[in-house]
Amino acid sequence: MKKTLFASLICLLGTFFSTAQAATPASIFGTTLVNAEELIALVEEKDELLIIDARTVADYTKGHLPDSVNLANTDTNADSLAKTITSKESPVLFYCNGINCGRSVESCKVAVAAGYSNIYWFRGGIGEWNEKGYPTEQ
């Protein structure tokens, strides 16, 4: 009886914790979804592409995509975007920790609402980047 109750409790807790951290949406209106390889192609074809790391400063300093700038989602608003991005038509890509991190989702939504029209979203973020062995900067 105790083993069955304990096993049921473990199952219940496992279900709770596995659903507690929901994945990000599959897409964001007004953005173009890219993976790591598509990001590399974008960098090669769009010299003016700005890569924005939407994570905290602490996460950014541990390692980030080469040539990216840090603008945490909590600091992202119309004014901070205007100071960071050349124009509303400039290509800009947002990323964060990966599919279970909503920071870049929030930043993308703010950018879309502010009228930016050339937005790319790297949903896999630094997690996918590191998993594939691509270089980071510190």
Side-chain angles (χ1 to χ4, degrees):
M1 178 71 169
K2 285 183 184 179
K3 285 184 180 182
T4 305
L5 180 60
F6 183 72
S8 296
L9 198 69
I10 294 297
C11 260
L12 182 63
L13 287 173
T15 302
F16 172 77
F17 285 113
S18 68
T19 58
Q21 193 175 32
T24 54
S27 63
I28 303 170
F29 174 79
T31 71
T32 301
L33 180 68
V34 298
N35 62 29
E37 291 74 25
E38 292 165 329
L39 168 53
I40 292 168
L42 272 175
V43 168
E44 291 174 357
E45 74 181 51
K46 297 182 183 286
D47 290 336
E48 69 279 9
L49 178 69
L50 177 64
I51 301 172
I52 298 180
D53 185 321
R55 301 176 303 152
T56 64
V57 172
D59 282 345
Y60 181 79
T61 57
K62 289 178 187 173
H64 53 271
L65 272 61
D67 300 321
S68 63
V69 297
N70 184 230
L71 179 60
N73 66 304
T74 54
D75 297 328
T76 301
N77 55 52
D79 290 336
S80 64
L81 289 171
K83 291 175 186 172
T84 307
I85 305 169
T86 307
S87 77
K88 292 195 176 187
E89 294 77 31
S90 296
V92 59
L93 177 135
F94 292 92
Y95 79 94
C96 57
N97 286 315
I99 64 168
N100 290 321
C101 178
R103 292 181 181 280
S104 60
V105 174
E106 292 176 19
S107 294
C108 283
K109 288 180 178 180
V110 170
V112 168
Y116 290 85
S117 60
N118 202 358
I119 304 168
Y120 296 90
W121 178 40
F122 179 27
R123 182 178 186 242
I126 197 76
E128 178 183 333
W129 192 261
N130 287 336
E131 187 177 287
K132 292 183 175 183
Y134 293 128
T136 58
E137 295 177 344
Q138 290 186 339

